[in-house]
Amino acid sequence: MKNTIAFFLFLCVAFTQSNQQSEIMSETPLHPIPEEMTYEEYQDMNRRMNIGVGLAFIPIPGIVHRYAGDKKTAKKLSYVTLGGLLSFAASASGSVEKKQWPESDYELFIMNAGLDNETRYEKIPVEIAVNDSVTYALKQIYKRVTHTGGNPFLGLIGFVAVFGSYYYDVFHGLKMIHDKREAARYKYGKKLQYSVRPSFEPFASRAKLNLDIYF
């Protein structure tokens, strides 16, 4: 019994140690940073395009520019989107919905005239008998819904504002992430005095690391 307990404790300790080692190994490696590099430049160089693309699917105005570090533009896009939504609301608030019976070239057969459940049918002649009696086919007609009033120009402004700000946020925001990364890499890449170039020779089945030193 004592041997079983001791073996169980040994497994627990070994499992704990292995977890600690895996957590240490999974930490993000720390690389040397140039002394003159600012924190903003460090953020610019480490932003990821795939994160920006993922944020584009979240319907929050200016979210891509906010991730790119341009909070001023992100705030403007939020205001533009809010203004577009208000234009939509103003355009729809003045609209009045009307239901009207359409005109018909045939004689109408009306049931429950003047009531809420009024029903109308077109009497379409399909057969004339010898005694001049006419057989009709009834075809039901329905009220047509029309909208009057409102301001379609405000609706157009709202549409352009909402969707225009979204596309500007996505495409210009992703371009900004790319440009900032390239600018930071170019600025501090010129100051490097060496570079490491990995190479692989498939026919020789060997890989090499080439160290270039600049004077």
Side-chain angles (χ1 to χ4, degrees):
M1 184 65 180
K2 292 182 179 180
N3 293 334
T4 304
I5 296 176
F7 180 73
F8 179 74
L9 292 175
F10 173 77
L11 290 179
C12 291
V13 172
F15 180 75
T16 304
Q17 293 293 332
S18 64
N19 282 344
Q20 290 178 353
Q21 292 178 0
S22 63
E23 289 180 0
I24 294 175
M25 296 299 293
S26 64
E27 291 180 355
T28 303
L30 184 62
H31 301 287
I33 300 175
E35 185 176 354
E36 63 273 19
M37 177 180 283
T38 63
Y39 181 65
E40 288 75 16
E41 291 175 330
Y42 177 80
Q43 287 182 311
D44 292 340
M45 195 170 64
N46 286 277
R47 288 190 175 94
R48 299 290 181 262
M49 290 291 292
N50 55 352
I51 296 179
V53 173
L55 292 175
F57 291 95
I58 302 177
I60 298 178
I63 189 171
V64 180
H65 276 80
R66 189 171 287 105
Y67 174 70
D70 190 356
K71 296 182 179 180
K72 185 177 180 180
T73 302
K75 185 179 295 185
K76 290 181 180 179
L77 291 174
S78 300
Y79 291 150
V80 171
T81 303
L82 179 61
L85 294 176
L86 292 177
S87 297
F88 270 129
S91 175
S93 62
S95 178
V96 179
E97 181 180 287
K98 290 185 178 180
K99 294 183 179 181
Q100 296 178 336
W101 292 106
E103 296 182 357
S104 176
D105 296 330
Y106 298 97
E107 183 182 355
L108 297 178
F109 174 69
I110 303 176
M111 298 177 60
N112 303 321
L115 301 178
D116 294 337
N117 59 344
E118 178 179 340
T119 308
R120 294 189 179 188
Y121 298 88
E122 290 179 331
K123 297 173 61 176
I124 302 175
V126 294
E127 183 181 358
I128 301 177
V130 179
N131 57 354
D132 294 336
S133 61
V134 181
T135 303
Y136 296 94
L138 298 180
K139 179 182 178 182
Q140 186 175 358
I141 59 176
Y142 302 90
K143 286 185 177 181
R144 293 178 180 174
V145 179
T146 58
H147 295 83
T148 58
N151 192 335
F153 183 69
L154 286 178
L156 178 62
I157 292 178
F159 177 84
V160 173
V162 173
F163 290 95
S165 61
Y166 171 77
Y167 282 108
Y168 181 82
D169 180 40
V170 173
F171 292 104
H172 186 265
L174 293 177
K175 183 178 183 300
M176 180 175 293
I177 294 174
H178 174 268
D179 292 345
K180 284 187 173 183
R181 288 185 61 185
E182 293 297 308
R185 292 172 62 87
Y186 178 78
K187 177 180 178 180
Y188 293 99
K190 291 174 62 177
K191 298 181 180 181
L192 293 178
Q193 301 299 321
Y194 65 90
S195 64
V196 178
R197 294 182 295 105
S199 62
F200 176 70
E201 298 179 4
F203 296 103
S205 299
R206 62 181 180 180
K208 297 188 300 182
L209 286 177
N210 303 307
L211 178 63
D212 298 332
I213 301 177
Y214 307 101
F215 299 95

